Amino acid sequence: MVATLDANAVAAVGICNNIFNFWNMFSFGIISGGMILSSQFYGAKNETALRKIYGLTIAVDFIASLFFFLPCFIWTDSVMKILTTSNELINDGCNYLKIVCFIYPLQALTLTTLLILRSFGKVKITVFSSLVTMMTN
């Protein structure tokens, strides 16, 4: 999508994606713990505990996403200065990061839901959602 832009814009997007990749690994660690517990409770047919674990996992992941979203939105310049010293890359990266940082809380909600559903056998919903997402993109 950004290949038609100049080299600085592509480099700035790459730098900003480092933040997203770190957030993605952090989020997946939280969700993996919820998936393990939800699988155990699903196997034990404990629906009450399953609902609690889903709620807890989504709440923890959403709160964690705010620790990435807020600095990227409020202190965009400072975040970019940690990652690069080039003023051109900082300017381009700030423009991109101000937009893309809204994905972090949304991903916390959607990815948690999809992976928890997958952990107890609701695979059709997750496959359909992934297909729709790929076609939309």
Side-chain angles (χ1 to χ4, degrees):
M1 290 185 189
V2 295
T4 59
L5 302 175
D6 66 339
N8 282 339
V10 174
V13 168
I15 291 169
C16 291
N17 281 340
N18 289 332
I19 300 168
F20 177 78
N21 289 335
F22 185 71
W23 156 242
N24 202 24
M25 288 187 296
F26 191 80
S27 176
F28 191 73
I30 294 169
I31 297 169
S32 294
M35 287 174 62
I36 291 167
L37 291 173
S38 66
S39 295
Q40 290 176 345
F41 291 133
Y42 178 74
K45 309 272 190 259
N46 188 345
E47 192 170 316
T48 304
L50 184 62
R51 290 177 193 269
K52 286 181 182 178
I53 275 302
Y54 170 68
L56 180 66
T57 304
I58 206 162
V60 169
D61 201 31
F62 184 78
I63 291 168
S65 75
L66 296 178
F67 285 103
F68 286 82
F69 166 74
L70 291 174
C72 288
F73 186 73
I74 297 170
W75 303 292
T76 312
D77 290 339
S78 299
V79 171
M80 286 302 296
K81 286 178 183 174
I82 293 170
L83 301 171
T84 186
T85 57
S86 169
N87 288 332
E88 292 177 8
L89 293 179
I90 290 171
N91 291 336
D92 288 343
C94 286
N95 294 334
Y96 178 75
L97 194 56
K98 282 259 191 206
I99 297 168
V100 79
C101 69
F102 287 96
I103 294 298
Y104 304 153
L106 295 173
Q107 183 194 9
L109 300 174
T110 57
L111 194 60
T112 302
T113 301
L114 291 175
L115 292 179
I116 294 289
L117 284 172
R118 190 178 295 169
S119 73
F120 57 87
K122 303 289 185 190
V123 180
K124 289 181 182 179
I125 296 169
T126 60
V127 168
F128 179 74
S129 173
S130 296
L131 287 173
V132 169
T133 303
M134 283 181 11
M135 285 191 239
T136 304
N137 193 12

